[in-house]
Amino acid sequence: MFYERKNLISQCFSRLILLSVLLLFWHPAVAVGRKQKVWFFKGNSIPAPPKQHSKWDVPECALPKSVIDAVKVLYKLGFADPRGCEYREITVPMGSDAWGGFFLRKTHGWVLPEVKGNSQRFAVLWNGLVYPVIAVGNKASFRDDVQHLVDHNIQFKEISTKHLKISDDSRLKRPQIFSNGFFPYQWYGCLSNSALLLRLGEGELAEKVYQTGIAVIPAYDKKPLPDKFKFDYKWSLFSRALAAAMYGDDKLSLCYAEQFAPLIKGDKSKFALTAGKLLSDQRRRVQERLHPLPAPCNKIESLIRDLENVNKRQWGQPGGVILGNDKRVKALIAIGDPAVEPLLDCLENDRRLTRSVSFGRDFFQERTVITVADAAYVALSGILKQSFFSVGCTSDNLSRRDSDYHKRLAQQIRKHYNRYKNMSIVDKWYNILKNDDESAPAQLQAAAGICRKSNVKVIPNSGAFSSYSIDKPGTGKIGMKGEVLRAKKNPSVSDLLNLRAVEYLPKGRLNTWSFENAYKMALLSAEWDLPNSLPALLKVSDAIYLGLSRYSRSRNSHWTELLVPLTVQRVKAGDKAALYRYCQIVLAHPGTVLGEHSRGDWEKYLKPLYVFPEENVSVATAETIFNTHGNTWNKYFGEFKDAQKTISYYRRFNPDEKDIFAEFMRLVPYRKHVLAGLSNKTEIIEWKTRITPYGLGCGYEFMDKSQSGNWSEDIKDVKSDPRFPGNNTTQILRVCDAYAKALSSIKGAGYPVFRRYWNVADRDKVINKIRNILSKRIQSKAKHK
């Protein structure tokens, strides 16, 4: 998108930032195998097992009737029958229906008998699907595999219910053949395993794997068991078809898609609609390979046709697929105006799919296959440097919209193009701001474009997340892209920004979301011309204060959050009264900052204090919050709960983002609080060292069981440190250790190196040194670096 969204989407993103970053360090190859050269299926169909339609009697067992009924339903749908097949070691092709990629997986399965004249072998896997087999190995024992799974489930249940402390070496690992790479959901794995064993006449084994399996699985949902089983089976087929399509094996993808085709007939659910689109597109792709289309007439047509092979992957969860990084989209953007009309036609009429997929979470049974029309839209927004589409949630994008929406969007883009096509980009931005009939989102984008740094490039996208790159880091002063507009008068850019900010203020009943446009425009005005933005900043702030005084305190956290950057800019513009007023609000409503509605992210509400740490009102307010006993704040800071945040929140992963802990250390009252904490030996967490290929990893849990998490340290530091206690060493971290580690991590602050894995005596020696340095700085009132 072309301007910063500070709405529901950005709020959700900021609150999930830690989870997102941790997930970014996770690579799908870790879960599904090592990436391999792609193997393509050469057959035309996947055969049914030899006894798929043979008579079968349910063996004697104590499984619930609902399970037996679900199994019967499943086999009627086409769930593979393992009878008449030999259980062997096999290698099968795999892919991820979320992250893409191609992988070879060694596993066990029932190999179908060899067919004369056909070298391609197939096997039934534990998920009830038939896979093409790349290699067949030695015989295996399904009974041994099932017993291994049962033993794992029993131990896992015992560890989780009794909170047993068992070393990693003593833990039984879940067998790879029952891994999540093959199952859409744990419940499905439990039931499909039982279904296969029942078909083999192994009633007792089926009962064991089911009973121990459901003991370690959370409740599923309230659907009848056959319906759950039926959906998961359809999802398994869809997942295989989608994964194959993502890595380009259209023939294999179509084979699985044809298997789920009768199962979605007449179904109007979102899943069925998505699966139906994939089926139709794979039929088209295979047909076009047999009967190629005429050659493209020109480069633009060639690039648009090739948009079906866009294969960019989602970068995280939550996250998005940045289509603007695709080479085809980039080439169309580089062509410029001549590509606009062909791209508009594509947006309106093209129903093809790309090989890219978006999703909310990879463990949810929901996928959106990105459309060619979506890629065309991104190319259009890149050419016009304007976004015309607003998302409703973090996983939303244009591909989730219907054809009627595409047509309306194309009309909107065509109107915009014809209106501004003869203008330079900066003149277009100015005129969008000036034209009263333009929408607030369009004017906000124009304002953001004018105020954007000249070395920043926006990568177009249709999802919830913007993407930026720095073209030239530069050493001198970097201006804004709209600098030439400073010569504009009557009205000036500053006049227009202030006018729109006040104009966007809500009329009638107020809520926090109704301030978003005015809030953003006022901040852009401050960015463009700080002294002249003060009237707009003041009016928007006053309106938010009015809302704070009128409406429910449950919303106070968001109202206050809006005031933070407005207050900072007002003080920078010379309005020191704004800081006093803001501090009054914070002190009057500690529940806003520390309460459940703020999600405990208290540090963002105190930003005006550490931005202006030497102002008297900042010092007095910080003293009340951090060091005064007998008030609401003391229940949090008096118990040093912020020390826990130095572990899990303060250490930011974004190198361009300031260290929040270092920012708070600019406040003398907070330094006093930390000095007291350096003497506090209360135990906070228990953790264990764990060497990984990437460094020293740590899984930790707070002593009160309220929270768990992880951190990592550079493996180079660990290897060169003679005081490292060794792998799998249990450690206890105290309040003083948390502060010492945070202080030693502040770049250029002059504190000695501190390692959390040292023994207590070594840690205490360094803590004493850190405490002495901090004490002297407090006494001298020296500025903290």
Side-chain angles (χ1 to χ4, degrees), residues 665-680:
M665 287 299 292
R666 298 174 66 194
L667 286 160
V668 171
Y670 191 69
R671 288 188 230 171
K672 293 178 183 176
H673 170 75
V674 172
L675 182 63
L678 287 169
S679 300
N680 190 308

Side-chain angles (χ1 to χ4, degrees), residues 59-60 142-143 194 197-207:
E60 185 176 340
F142 70 83
R143 293 182 181 86
S194 301
L197 292 168
L198 286 174
R199 202 72 161 185
L200 291 166
E202 300 282 349
E204 186 177 347
L205 271 182
E207 186 181 335

Side-chain angles (χ1 to χ4, degrees), residues 135-161:
V136 178
N138 298 325
K139 290 184 179 180
S141 169
F142 70 83
R143 293 182 181 86
D144 289 348
D145 286 341
V146 170
Q147 189 58 53
H148 187 178
L149 175 65
V150 169
D151 292 343
H152 164 272
N153 288 342
I154 291 171
Q155 187 195 62
F156 184 88
K157 179 66 175 179
E158 190 174 28
I159 291 171
S160 59
T161 55

Side-chain angles (χ1 to χ4, degrees), residues 47-226:
K51 294 193 176 183
Q52 184 70 38
H53 303 293
S54 299
K55 184 181 177 182
W56 168 68
D57 294 319
V58 180
E60 185 176 340
C61 64
L63 284 171
K65 183 178 181 299
S66 60
V67 174
I68 302 298
D69 291 342
V71 169
K72 290 178 179 178
V73 167
L74 203 61
Y75 278 107
K76 287 181 181 178
L77 297 176
F79 191 85
D81 190 325
R83 293 177 299 169
C85 303
E86 192 174 20
Y87 195 68
R88 303 284 290 271
E89 295 176 352
I90 55 175
T91 302
V92 297
M94 289 284 290
S96 168
D97 63 24
W99 306 102
F102 174 83
F103 310 94
L104 297 179
R105 171 64 65 80
K106 290 184 178 180
T107 185
H108 296 169
W110 290 269
V111 180
L112 276 62
E114 194 169 359
V115 176
K116 188 176 181 180
N118 186 359
S119 61
Q120 178 63 63
R121 304 298 300 275
F122 297 87
V124 177
L125 268 61
W126 282 96
N127 59 7
L129 272 60
V130 177
Y131 281 60
V133 174
I134 295 174
V136 178
N138 298 325
K139 290 184 179 180
S141 169
F142 70 83
R143 293 182 181 86
D144 289 348
D145 286 341
V146 170
Q147 189 58 53
H148 187 178
L149 175 65
V150 169
D151 292 343
H152 164 272
N153 288 342
I154 291 171
Q155 187 195 62
F156 184 88
K157 179 66 175 179
E158 190 174 28
I159 291 171
S160 59
T161 55
K162 297 180 180 179
H163 302 290
L164 298 179
K165 306 257 183 217
I166 296 180
S167 68
D168 292 343
D169 294 337
S170 300
R171 287 177 182 264
L172 296 175
K173 294 183 179 179
R174 184 178 176 86
Q176 277 284 347
I177 60 172
F178 302 105
S179 71
N180 289 337
F182 296 110
F183 301 103
Y185 198 80
Q186 281 182 294
W187 258 99
Y188 180 72
C190 176
L191 292 168
S192 67
N193 298 339
S194 301
L196 290 163
L197 292 168
L198 286 174
R199 202 72 161 185
L200 291 166
E202 300 282 349
E204 186 177 347
L205 271 182
E207 186 181 335
K208 276 186 181 180
V209 76
Y210 176 77
Q211 294 296 347
T212 61
I214 61 170
V216 297
I217 299 173
Y220 191 33
D221 55 36
K222 296 182 180 180
K223 291 180 182 176
L225 201 57

Side-chain angles (χ1 to χ4, degrees), residues 611-647:
V611 171
F612 307 104
E614 296 181 12
E615 292 291 336
N616 290 337
V617 67
S618 295
V619 174
T621 302
E623 188 67 32
T624 299
I625 291 172
F626 299 124
N627 300 317
T628 303
H629 296 282
N631 61 23
T632 303
W633 303 99
N634 191 246
K635 293 178 182 178
Y636 185 89
F637 294 102
E639 296 175 7
F640 297 99
K641 290 182 180 179
D642 61 309
Q644 299 177 5
K645 283 211 166 193
T646 69
I647 298 168

